Amino acid sequence: MQSMTRVEHALLAALSRVETGCPPRLAAAVRHAVFPGGARIRPQLCLAVGMACGDDDPALADGAAAAIELLHCASLVHDDLPCFDNAPTRRGQPSVHCAFGERLAVLAGDALIVLAFETLARAAQRSPQRLAPLLLTVTRGVGMPQGIVVGQALECEPRVALGDYQRAKTGALFAAATAAGAEAAGAEPAPWRIFGEWLGEAYQVADDIRDVVADPQLLGKPIGRDLALGRPSSAIELGLEGAIQSFDRLVAAAVASIPPCRGGAQLRALVRREAERLVPLALSEDVVRVAA
Amino acid sequence: MQSMTRVEHALLAALSRVETGCPPRLAAAVRHAVFPGGARIRPQLCLAVGMACGDDDPALADGAAAAIELLHCASLVHDDLPCFDNAPTRRGQPSVHCAFGERLAVLAGDALIVLAFETLARAAQRSPQRLAPLLLTVTRGVGMPQGIVVGQALECEPRVALGDYQRAKTGALFAAATAAGAEAAGAEPAPWRIFGEWLGEAYQVADDIRDVVADPQLLGKPIGRDLALGRPSSAIELGLEGAIQSFDRLVAAAVASIPPCRGGAQLRALVRREAERLVPLALSEDVVRVAA
């Protein structure tokens, strides 16, 4: 099965299990937060690493991938709240608080966090000894002291280094996705974490670039938010050309860091394809031409 | 060690582990949400059941108790938000959003949920085979379709049965606390879950009674909120005398449901002591006298 299909199946299974008997508006808000999805880049990355490491317990890899994506969705729902970004749209539809109200948006985020860990626990039936380390990998990606919740919290501190912010806001969950993919397949997670960290940094820079130049229709969310909200951004700090160069360097470092494994060639191709999707070469050439 | 001391130690250890390297304002908001605590009734109940069942892995029981309390604290922080109860005080101090702002209150709640599962995973080193069922017990108490997040979500539905509301809003986490206490000690959780459900219902009725008659200074939070916020309440639905009778019946049912175990007598005494603390006999007699 293709990894995108595996991700969607795992997410659907996780949601279906808890919807029966749930208050209808909460169930609808949670579903709205998860479907339709975006690029599902984190869970696909988790599965790609799992496959590169042999994928000997696919149910556990699917559970880990779903958990990572549910946590990502939870963070989007809470990030979009009026007290944070006050975002009207997300993934091309109204944000959860706009569609269901602020209270259900807070609760849907909470429910998604809980569901992520439940999904992981259910997936560990065949390999129970892998559950505790996998859980700690996932909590490290989202919680204190350096997970995505901290990335968001850094927006509430008076002064923030751009690198710290990007590492926590995006890098931490990418690192959790790659490390969890390895652990789900019984492999050593440490070298895979580094690969995830490079990718996460690259992705955050791409996001900053897209916030400046993308078409909001295609992006599915408003653009120009970083500047409007005074948030740290590499496109603002380095300029557009500098940010694109930084992106290219980070992608190269990510590709170079892939540990020796069966599926190395496939994985390198996947990273290059994804990099081209995020920051098309055509855009880089345009920017360089304008700057020249 | 007394169970209250064990609870405070386990909570302190959980927080200390993640505070280093965490943005100071988020760390302070999380600590504010957890300390000073209230009666710590759920984690103490978890430990009391664990001890009644032999307490053969005290570190795991401590981890389970801390996880339950961290999730309870998270729910209080989010319940107090302006979009819900907009509560200015909690446990005798400013609520988290009043002290740290709404954004850090949302994030502190999220961080506490994650920390709860991290704490559980770290505590399962000696008995890894107990982790998955314990995790599922805890997620059932807080998540969809019937955990405390659902109790809060029922406030967003047009019509709610009082029993469903109380079972989800309070009963679910009490049931998780007793079942988790048993599981942490390697005992069968099902009969202990029933004990927790009775206690949870009793506690919710006591809370409704206290919302009507208590001294806000002693309670540490404002009173009269249920009526003001139009929330389901047994003191409003049954009248004060009816609610007190219902409380007494629920406590008796809880005591009667305690499964055969070594520590049964101690546990029964604990429940009766806690019941007297929550709804003093003197109050019941006053109400009956006024009604007569």
Side-chain angles (χ1 to χ4, degrees):
Chain A
M1 214 190 304
Q2 288 296 306
S3 70
M4 189 60 148
T5 316
R6 282 178 67 175
V7 169
E8 297 302 310
H9 275 224
L11 290 169
L12 263 176
L15 259 66
S16 308
R17 216 161 22 220
V18 295
E19 282 173 345
T20 310
C22 184
R25 299 193 67 228
L26 177 63
V30 164
R31 198 165 261 264
H32 185 96
V34 180
F35 299 106
R40 308 284 197 210
I41 184 165
R42 294 160 191 78
Q44 286 203 78
L45 189 58
C46 176
L47 288 183
V49 171
M51 287 186 273
C53 295
D55 201 21
D56 71 344
D57 186 347
L60 186 54
D62 288 353
I68 296 276
E69 180 65 13
L70 293 170
L71 289 163
H72 174 58
C73 293
S75 81
L76 297 181
V77 175
H78 283 182
D79 285 6
D80 285 344
L81 283 172
C83 66
F84 289 108
D85 295 2
N86 197 18
T89 55
R90 169 68 71 177
R91 292 172 170 171
Q93 58 179 359
S95 56
V96 176
H97 72 93
C98 284
F100 295 90
E102 204 176 331
R103 299 194 295 169
L104 279 165
V106 172
L107 296 173
D110 293 353
L112 284 165
I113 301 175
V114 175
L115 183 58
F117 295 108
E118 180 182 337
T119 302
L120 206 50
R122 282 193 198 285
Q125 283 190 315
R126 239 192 66 195
S127 318
Q129 75 290 357
R130 292 183 190 166
L131 179 57
L134 203 39
L135 233 154
L136 292 176
T137 290
V138 172
T139 56
R140 181 172 163 188
V142 287
M144 302 192 293
Q146 279 159 346
I148 53 174
V149 69
V150 169
Q152 194 68 13
L154 283 172
E155 295 178 13
C156 309
E157 294 286 332
R159 251 190 314 275
V160 187
L162 179 64
D164 290 347
Y165 174 71
Q166 288 177 341
R167 259 187 297 280
K169 177 98 184 181
T170 310
L173 197 53
F174 272 76
T178 51
E183 272 171 324
E188 176 55 46
W192 289 102
R193 171 175 294 283
I194 295 164
F195 170 55
E197 284 167 355
W198 285 119
L199 281 182
E201 266 195 79
Y203 186 81
Q204 179 66 52
V205 173
D207 208 46
D208 293 348
I209 293 170
R210 286 144 61 89
D211 187 64
V212 175
V213 297
D215 176 341
Q217 286 288 308
L218 288 177
L219 206 57
K221 63 180 181 182
I223 61 160
R225 307 288 293 175
D226 293 336
L227 192 58
L229 297 165
R231 279 192 306 212
S233 155
S234 26
I236 295 165
E237 190 158 301
L238 307 174
L240 194 51
E241 200 186 342
I244 290 172
Q245 285 169 356
S246 165
F247 175 75
D248 290 339
R249 268 197 307 273
L250 290 165
V251 170
V255 167
S257 77
I258 293 176
C261 61
R262 289 194 232 174
Q266 266 182 303
L267 199 53
R268 279 186 289 273
L270 176 75
V271 172
R272 291 206 188 91
R273 217 163 44 237
E274 188 59 22
E276 168 62 18
R277 186 184 71 80
L278 287 172
V279 180
L281 196 59
L283 170 69
S284 317
E285 284 163 356
D286 278 358
V287 169
V288 173
R289 204 167 29 243
V290 169
Chain B
M1 217 192 301
Q2 288 297 304
S3 68
M4 189 60 149
T5 316
R6 283 178 65 175
V7 169
E8 297 301 311
H9 276 222
L11 290 169
L12 264 176
L15 259 67
S16 308
R17 213 157 27 218
V18 294
E19 283 173 344
T20 310
C22 183
R25 298 193 67 228
L26 177 64
V30 163
R31 199 164 260 264
H32 185 96
V34 180
F35 298 106
R40 308 281 197 211
I41 183 165
R42 294 160 191 77
Q44 286 204 78
L45 190 58
C46 177
L47 288 183
V49 170
M51 287 187 271
C53 295
D55 201 22
D56 70 345
D57 186 346
L60 185 54
D62 287 353
I68 296 276
E69 180 65 13
L70 293 170
L71 289 163
H72 174 58
C73 293
S75 80
L76 298 181
V77 174
H78 283 182
D79 286 6
D80 285 344
L81 284 172
C83 67
F84 289 108
D85 295 3
N86 197 16
T89 55
R90 169 68 72 178
R91 292 173 171 171
Q93 60 180 357
S95 56
V96 176
H97 72 92
C98 284
F100 295 89
E102 205 176 330
R103 299 195 295 170
L104 279 165
V106 171
L107 296 173
D110 293 353
L112 284 166
I113 301 175
V114 175
L115 183 58
F117 295 108
E118 180 183 337
T119 303
L120 206 50
R122 282 195 199 284
Q125 284 190 315
R126 239 193 65 196
S127 319
Q129 75 289 358
R130 292 183 191 166
L131 179 57
L134 202 41
L135 232 153
L136 292 177
T137 291
V138 173
T139 57
R140 181 173 164 188
V142 287
M144 301 193 294
Q146 279 160 346
I148 53 174
V149 68
V150 169
Q152 194 69 13
L154 284 171
E155 293 177 15
C156 308
E157 295 286 332
R159 251 191 313 277
V160 187
L162 179 64
D164 289 348
Y165 174 71
Q166 287 177 341
R167 259 187 297 278
K169 177 98 184 180
T170 310
L173 197 53
F174 272 75
T178 51
E183 272 172 323
E188 175 55 46
W192 288 102
R193 171 175 293 283
I194 296 165
F195 170 56
E197 284 166 355
W198 286 119
L199 281 182
E201 267 196 76
Y203 185 82
Q204 179 65 53
V205 173
D207 209 44
D208 293 347
I209 294 170
R210 286 145 60 90
D211 188 63
V212 176
V213 298
D215 176 341
Q217 286 289 310
L218 288 177
L219 206 56
K221 62 180 182 182
I223 62 160
R225 307 290 292 176
D226 294 336
L227 193 58
L229 298 164
R231 278 192 306 212
S233 155
S234 27
I236 294 164
E237 191 160 297
L238 308 173
L240 193 52
E241 200 185 342
I244 290 173
Q245 284 169 358
S246 166
F247 175 75
D248 290 339
R249 269 197 306 274
L250 291 165
V251 171
V255 168
S257 76
I258 293 175
C261 62
R262 291 193 232 175
Q266 264 181 305
L267 199 52
R268 280 187 287 274
L270 175 75
V271 172
R272 292 206 186 91
R273 214 162 47 235
E274 189 59 22
E276 168 63 18
R277 186 184 70 81
L278 286 171
V279 181
L281 196 61
L283 169 68
S284 318
E285 283 162 357
D286 278 358
V287 169
V288 173
R289 203 167 29 243
V290 169

